[in-house]
Amino acid sequence: MAAERKTKLSKNLLRMKPRRAFIEEHWYLDLPEFKGKESFIIEEQSFLLCEDLLYGRMSFRGFNPEVEKLMLHMNAKHKAEEVEDETVELDVSDEEMARRYETLVGTIGKKFARKRDHASYEEDENGDIQPIKAKKMFLKPHD
Amino acid sequence: MAEAVSVAAESFAGGRARGARSVLGQVVLPGEELLLPEQEDAEGPGGAGERPLSLNAGARSRVRVICGPGLRRCGDRLLVTKCGRLRHKEPGGGGGGGGVYWVDSQQKRYVPVKGDHVIGIVTAKSGDIFKVDVGGSEPASLSYLSFEGATKRNRPNVQVGDLIYGQFVVANKDMEPEMVCIDSCGRANGMGVIGQDGLLFKVTLGLIRKLLAPDCEIIQEVGKLYPLEIVFGMNGRIWVKAKTIQQTLILANILEACEHMTSDQRKQIFSRLAES
């Protein structure tokens, strides 16, 4: 039963193939004519290509500082596409980096310092941790 | 306006297609056909409706022209589908010549377009997808993973009734529109849930485009009044927020009314506000 069904299906398929090939050939003839015209005019439904619109989120007089930063970024990016500015934006300023490293050395050093050295890690008025000045070495006894 | 309509009617009756260049800035009506510049030259002077055979069909000397909203391609010509003023923009350096033509029309009903930034209202939360009403024929779908820093464990805090600022990634007449709140690099860029308070109201689509134009005076004057925040959605929705409710309402009234005011009336109102 199943074998009969299988042959029935395949007969249909065999019958359909030539028809399809005929249609494809038929279509193939039409395509070259269309191709010449298609690449000429492009249809777009978006207004973004037509008008240079600003970024949709706006904030004025400091109401939302993040949005104001975004405004500068997005609108500048919009103009920069024409100008092609190649300034690299720093995420962290140099001063901030230096400050971070200053305190970082102290805090990491504290982690590895022995108990006796903890005394030298006292904080001064600003709360900054001063790193150790000199290590305590073995002193030879005088005669 | 009456003159423009009579001119358009004449060309209708005559059956002549006008050149696109000659109609720039004028009112065009649906059904008109516009000729592109190369074809105008081919027509020759007079052009009494005869179309000479283009013998150089094989030559690729034709420049690519983009037909924007309100225009359709009709053979070699542009067919107008909306009434409004015809506009043109030259291409800015680099990519192909020809520029963009479009019709500056006015409408209130928004049709989702890929790439547009819109304000949506979350109407339902089903499984992993939010249904967002954007003012189109169907609610758009927004996946919970389409927010910055969202993972399967770390879900975004979005409730029904929240306002979302996002952009469309899929928007055509055959499929349900889909929107996301991140850009192609995975950054939010200001998209996502819009904060608490504030007021959402609806205006026409043309007004949004007018307010977002680079040299819009209205926005510059509004920005000088008091601290405020505005979000514009291309679907005709505007969200405003100021420090007090009264200021928010004043702002909303100004933006709704400025469409039908002349610049003198507007300046009067702003000066009165600045005094008070």
Side-chain angles (χ1 to χ4, degrees):
Chain A
M1 284 293 281
E4 280 177 23
R5 289 246 174 99
K6 269 188 189 170
T7 50
K8 272 188 190 170
L9 280 170
S10 60
K11 269 186 201 167
N12 276 333
L13 283 171
L14 286 169
R15 253 182 276 154
M16 279 178 73
K17 265 187 187 169
R19 267 193 222 153
R20 262 199 217 144
F22 178 68
I23 292 168
E24 277 171 9
E25 283 171 5
H26 202 61
W27 274 49
Y28 201 76
L29 288 170
D30 280 336
L31 278 174
E33 281 179 41
F34 264 51
K35 268 184 183 169
K37 291 175 186 175
E38 261 182 33
S39 57
F40 173 35
I41 304 178
I42 312 167
E43 279 186 24
E44 284 280 347
Q45 286 302 313
S46 168
F47 274 106
L48 294 175
L49 283 174
C50 308
E51 304 177 28
D52 292 325
L53 298 176
L54 295 175
Y55 184 58
R57 285 195 87 149
M58 299 187 186
S59 160
F60 296 99
R61 293 179 68 163
F63 194 77
N64 191 337
E66 290 167 13
V67 174
E68 298 205 1
K69 255 191 278 176
L70 257 176
M71 275 171 76
L72 292 171
H73 183 242
M74 300 295 279
N75 292 334
K77 194 167 71 172
H78 188 66
K79 285 175 195 167
E81 278 173 10
E82 299 168 3
V83 179
E84 287 180 18
D85 241 343
E86 285 183 14
T87 49
V88 178
E89 278 179 25
L90 299 168
D91 292 321
V92 185
S93 72
D94 295 334
E95 283 174 11
E96 236 190 272
M97 196 71 175
R99 252 182 281 143
R100 280 285 160 87
Y101 264 122
E102 212 178 21
T103 53
L104 192 67
V105 167
T107 43
I108 300 292
K110 198 172 158 188
K111 192 174 160 188
F112 293 107
R114 282 173 270 154
K115 223 173 181 180
R116 293 186 185 184
D117 297 336
H118 274 198
S120 60
Y121 273 103
E122 283 167 11
E123 293 179 343
D124 64 353
E125 319 94 63
N126 292 341
D128 295 324
I129 297 170
Q130 304 287 339
I132 331 169
K133 301 284 167 77
K135 255 186 169 175
K136 289 184 179 169
M137 297 287 291
F138 175 69
L139 291 169
K140 253 181 169 176
H142 291 287
D143 285 337
Chain B
M1 190 62 192
E3 291 168 0
V5 172
S6 64
V7 166
E10 261 180 42
S11 77
F12 252 36
R16 260 181 314 154
R18 297 189 282 170
R21 291 278 171 172
S22 62
V23 193
L24 282 182
Q26 293 178 32
V27 174
V28 289
L29 297 176
E32 277 191 43
E33 289 192 357
L34 301 171
L35 296 169
L36 291 167
E38 300 87 18
Q39 290 153 334
E40 271 185 334
D41 300 334
E43 288 270 321
E50 283 178 22
R51 231 206 315 186
L53 291 167
S54 50
L55 296 169
N56 57 344
R60 297 282 172 136
S61 56
R62 288 176 172 175
V63 284
R64 273 184 166 192
V65 168
I66 303 177
C67 70
L71 292 172
R72 283 281 174 97
R73 181 170 54 88
C74 169
D76 282 343
R77 304 172 173 190
L78 297 176
L79 182 68
V80 179
T81 55
K82 291 201 177 142
C83 37
R85 291 190 189 262
L86 187 69
R87 305 273 186 221
H88 175 65
K89 184 178 98 157
E90 291 293 340
V100 195
Y101 290 92
W102 77 94
V103 176
D104 200 356
S105 64
Q106 185 63 282
Q107 62 181 63
K108 287 185 157 190
R109 169 66 72 172
Y110 177 68
V111 173
V113 168
K114 183 175 166 175
D116 266 2
H117 291 258
V118 295
I119 300 179
I121 306 173
V122 179
T123 53
K125 197 170 164 178
S126 63
D128 297 337
I129 294 182
F130 302 110
K131 288 287 177 204
V132 180
D133 165 47
V134 291
S137 54
E138 276 185 282
S141 71
L142 170 63
S143 163
Y144 76 98
L145 288 171
S146 316
F147 290 85
E148 187 174 15
T151 58
K152 285 190 179 166
R153 300 267 177 104
N154 180 22
R155 292 177 178 238
N157 185 16
V158 177
Q159 306 302 325
V160 172
D162 279 354
L163 294 178
I164 301 274
Y165 185 61
Q167 62 177 345
F168 286 111
V169 287
V170 171
N172 52 47
K173 60 184 167 79
D174 303 314
M175 296 161 67
E176 173 194 53
E178 289 175 28
M179 59 187 286
V180 292
C181 292
I182 49 173
D183 64 2
S184 50
C185 301
R187 288 179 299 215
N189 272 345
M191 293 188 273
V193 180
I194 298 177
Q196 294 290 314
D197 308 324
L199 177 67
L200 180 77
F201 58 96
K202 199 161 172 355
V203 294
T204 56
L205 306 189
L207 179 63
I208 300 278
R209 279 182 278 125
K210 183 173 151 191
L211 291 172
L212 283 178
D215 51 356
C216 181
E217 292 171 355
I218 306 171
I219 293 295
Q220 286 165 10
E221 286 172 31
V222 157
K224 291 177 198 160
L225 286 175
Y226 36 73
L228 49 91
E229 190 184 348
I230 316 180
V231 179
F232 293 97
M234 296 294 287
N235 53 345
R237 293 181 181 168
I238 304 182
W239 178 85
V240 293
K241 185 175 173 186
K243 289 207 169 136
T244 66
I245 295 180
Q246 196 186 26
Q247 287 177 345
T248 310
L249 287 172
I250 292 173
L251 186 53
N253 284 333
I254 294 176
L255 289 174
E256 277 175 333
C258 70
E259 189 173 7
H260 303 293
M261 285 197 286
T262 63
S263 53
D264 292 329
Q265 288 170 328
R266 208 176 58 222
K267 282 175 187 160
Q268 264 182 17
I269 293 191
F270 277 114
S271 56
R272 256 195 283 158
L273 274 173
E275 283 163 30
S276 65

